[in-house]
Structures are given as structure tokens and as C-alpha cells.
Amino acid sequence: MAKSDVLYVTDAECAARIGLPTQDFKDTLPALERAGFPTKDPLFNNRRYWPAVRAFLDKRNGLASSFQRRNPAPLKEAKGPEVW
């Protein structure tokens, strides 16, 4: 299994995937967790779920999933028969 396929990651692995030195990542954790950063899961050896970390970072940086729409535009009602 490739390292990028691992779903639950240690803080060191998380830092590496993000591109930060481990200590810098650990220094930012309190602020990140206050903002909703995924916490460690005790059922998975106190590791973080990488897809949730990725989703948090995507949302924080203004990226939304292509299938997720916050305020969809209301549908317009058809007026009369449709003409082709």
C-alpha cells in the first residue's frame, strides 16, 4: 500500500503531506483545532483521518467540492410550452 493511500496519519505524516516541518505543524495545531481541524481518533491509535484534514484545508482555502453547492439558485418556472 502506498503511503498516500493511508487514511489515518500521525502528526508527522500529516505535516509531511501538508509540506511543513513537524514542529511547525505541532505549533499551529492549537489554532487549527480551534478552527475545526480534525482531531485525533483514539480508535485509530490517535491518528487523524487524512480525507477530513484535506477537506478542512480545501474549505479553509476557498475550495468547494464540485458536487457541493451551498446556495443553489432557485429553478425558474417554465412559462408556456417549450419550443425547440
Side-chain angles (χ1 to χ4, degrees), residues 9-18 20-22 25-26 29 33 37-40 46-48:
V9 296
T10 65
D11 283 350
E13 291 167 330
C14 192
R17 288 185 184 194
I18 292 171
L20 289 175
T22 302
F25 175 72
K26 287 183 177 183
L29 276 175
E33 287 178 342
F37 192 78
T39 57
K40 294 178 180 180
N46 286 322
R47 294 172 184 238
R48 297 174 198 278

Side-chain angles (χ1 to χ4, degrees), residues 23-83:
Q23 190 57 52
D24 290 352
F25 175 72
K26 287 183 177 183
D27 291 344
T28 64
L29 276 175
L32 287 170
E33 287 178 342
R34 283 192 299 274
F37 192 78
T39 57
K40 294 178 180 180
D41 189 329
L43 292 175
F44 290 93
N45 203 21
N46 286 322
R47 294 172 184 238
R48 297 174 198 278
Y49 185 58
W50 176 251
V53 171
R54 178 72 187 257
F56 171 86
L57 294 171
D58 285 347
K59 183 178 176 183
R60 185 176 185 280
N61 287 282
L63 298 178
S65 176
S66 61
F67 59 84
Q68 182 181 21
R69 211 168 155 187
R70 294 174 192 239
N71 295 316
L75 295 175
K76 295 180 180 178
E77 290 185 28
K79 297 185 180 185
E82 191 170 324
V83 179

